[in-house]
Amino acid sequence: MLTEPTTAPAEKDFLPGPVLLLGAPGVGKGTQAKALMAAYGIPQISTGDILRANISKGTPLGKLAKALVDKGKLVPDDLVNQMVADRLSQPDTRRGFILDGYPRTLNQATWLDAYLAADPYTLPVVAISIVVEYEHLLRRITGRRISPSGRIYNTYSNPPAVPGICDEDGTALVQRPDDSEPVFVERMKTFESQTAPVVEHYRKQGRFEEVDGDQPVEQVTAAIEAALRRLRTSKTLNI
Ligand code: AP5
Ligand code: MG
């Protein structure tokens, strides 16, 4: 994975390693993952998106996940780890990947660390923690609308040209069932109890940067790209 291309690449083609986007519900992980995917030509792997796809197809995993996702609870680690292993085995991850919303528990983090360490061609991960004030997150969550193809809008900050219709493909936008205020409150509690320790785990490892997500989308993207450039030259990478 992450082998450098033979043709002269643009400066930003080189990433310091697989990128983990960490942060509370609504901080902009999906929005930023899509921007990085376009900029670096590597796939976004969102465990939330994979679970939602299983829920809409009614697979056994989807049936099990639905009750938990609808309550703002986490899906069991072994199921999510297996889902990630399946996705990472696909060839489009060879030049790198962005993990969005994973790992989310310390168990998932230690599983991922061991899984990637076993692959001699994988660089160490770098973790970007996006931080947004709690009061702003509820508005982001309740205002979010998504297209069936995964484009993300917001009725307050990033509305489509025609309300309820995707600018790109004209499909009807929908609201995620877990984007209600009561479920958001539960998701925040889950984040604080189970995912905040994951942020600390990667902060201690040193291949870590915190980014202010309380600024316009393009500025957050620029801040993440600057963080990735710093991490690329950081001695903590040991490569
Ligand atoms: P998941 O889908 O990962 O949800 P989440 O972590 O709660 O995060 P969100 O997708 O809600 O927010 P985001 O940070 O991606 O923000 P976005 O870019 O959309 O997980 C859902 C559920 O699946 C979990 O609760 C759990 O049940 C299960 N699950 C998933 N992963 C799991 C795992 N690893 N283990 C176990 N269970 C798992 O932006 C939000 C809104 O803000 C949008 O409307 C956007 O347009 C707007 N916005 C974005 N950036 C900005 C900005 N800079 N300024 C203004 N508005 C902005
Ligand atoms: Mg998301």
Side-chain angles (χ1 to χ4, degrees), residues 28-148:
K29 300 181 296 294
T31 301
Q32 295 303 326
K34 286 178 201 315
L36 296 176
M37 182 169 68
Y40 293 94
I42 56 172
Q44 167 201 18
I45 301 173
S46 158
T47 45
D49 286 350
I50 300 173
L51 289 168
R52 279 184 289 279
N54 275 277
I55 291 170
S56 40
K57 283 186 209 143
T59 66
L61 170 62
K63 284 181 183 144
L64 189 150
K66 183 169 170 37
L68 296 163
V69 172
D70 285 353
K71 288 193 200 114
K73 308 278 182 211
L74 295 182
V75 174
D77 291 336
D78 52 344
L79 296 179
V80 178
N81 290 341
Q82 186 55 52
M83 222 169 71
V84 169
D86 290 345
R87 183 63 187 86
L88 289 180
S89 70
Q90 293 176 26
D92 66 333
T93 62
R94 291 220 183 103
R95 281 197 65 240
F97 50 89
I98 304 152
L99 280 166
D100 157 7
Y102 177 92
R104 246 171 152 101
T105 66
L106 277 176
N107 274 340
Q108 291 179 17
T110 48
W111 180 90
L112 178 73
D113 293 348
Y115 181 87
L116 295 178
D119 181 343
Y121 299 106
T122 307
L123 296 173
V125 297
V126 290
I128 303 288
S129 170
I130 308 175
V131 180
V132 170
E133 273 195 37
Y134 184 94
E135 298 72 49
H136 300 163
L137 292 174
L138 178 61
R139 197 173 156 89
R140 287 196 185 187
I141 289 290
T142 53
R144 175 168 47 198
R145 300 292 181 275
I146 51 173
S147 74

Side-chain angles (χ1 to χ4, degrees), residues 179-234:
D179 274 353
S180 66
E181 183 167 355
V183 182
F184 166 72
V185 170
E186 284 310 310
R187 286 158 64 195
M188 281 304 295
K189 284 184 194 160
T190 304
F191 175 79
E192 291 301 340
S193 62
Q194 302 202 54
T195 311
V198 174
V199 176
E200 294 316 306
H201 170 80
Y202 287 107
R203 192 194 302 272
K204 277 188 217 138
Q205 288 195 6
R207 297 179 293 276
F208 176 93
E209 288 247 2
E210 196 166 275
V211 165
D212 175 11
D214 255 327
Q215 33 181 353
V217 169
E218 296 73 20
Q219 287 181 31
V220 180
T221 308
I224 293 174
E225 290 183 347
L228 292 172
R229 280 194 296 276
R230 283 192 296 277
L231 288 164
R232 198 172 60 196
T233 51
S234 162

